[in-house]
Amino acid sequence: QAQLVESGGGSVLPGESLRLSCVASGLSEFSLYRMYWYRQAPGKSRERVAYISSGGAVDYLQAVEGRFTISRDNTERTGRLQMNDLKVEDTATYYCNLWRVGEDYWGQGVQVIVSS
């Protein structure tokens, strides 16, 4: 059974950093999937935070540009989101997602809380 397991969430002060990871198992041809990170805060709609293609092209939500970095290791079948200079507005539940035509897999979600 294919699954994505997320880790790395937590509670931090503004300006601190966290690194989220997303480990895939039971999934062949990991390198063929697009990888996304989404987040959703209470009372707000879900938004796309970052994207990385099979070939390494990346795209970011403007609000996190320059602070977050998405990466992937196809050998380890792992995706990562490095979050630096965290702000209160980044507080949300974060989800990783792998997508290709006809297939769509989601992590369980991890909570990130940024407060002073």
Side-chain angles (χ1 to χ4, degrees), residues 18-93:
L18 286 171
R19 187 177 71 170
L20 306 184
S21 66
C22 177
V23 180
S25 62
L27 184 68
S28 62
E29 304 295 339
F30 174 86
S31 64
L32 298 181
Y33 293 80
R34 299 176 180 179
M35 186 174 73
Y36 301 83
W37 288 92
Y38 293 85
R39 68 185 183 188
Q40 188 165 28
K44 298 182 179 179
S45 60
R46 188 175 65 188
E47 59 185 353
R48 191 193 71 180
V49 177
Y51 159 77
I52 184 168
S53 73
S54 298
V58 300
D59 190 54
Y60 297 95
L61 180 70
Q62 185 176 2
V64 308
E65 181 73 42
R67 298 188 296 116
F68 289 14
T69 302
I70 187 172
S71 62
R72 66 191 297 166
D73 187 324
N74 291 330
T75 299
E76 297 183 354
R77 295 180 295 175
T78 299
R80 295 183 178 89
L81 184 69
Q82 178 69 43
M83 304 183 293
N84 295 330
D85 191 24
L86 283 161
K87 302 179 182 299
V88 172
E89 304 86 79
D90 297 319
T91 296
T93 300

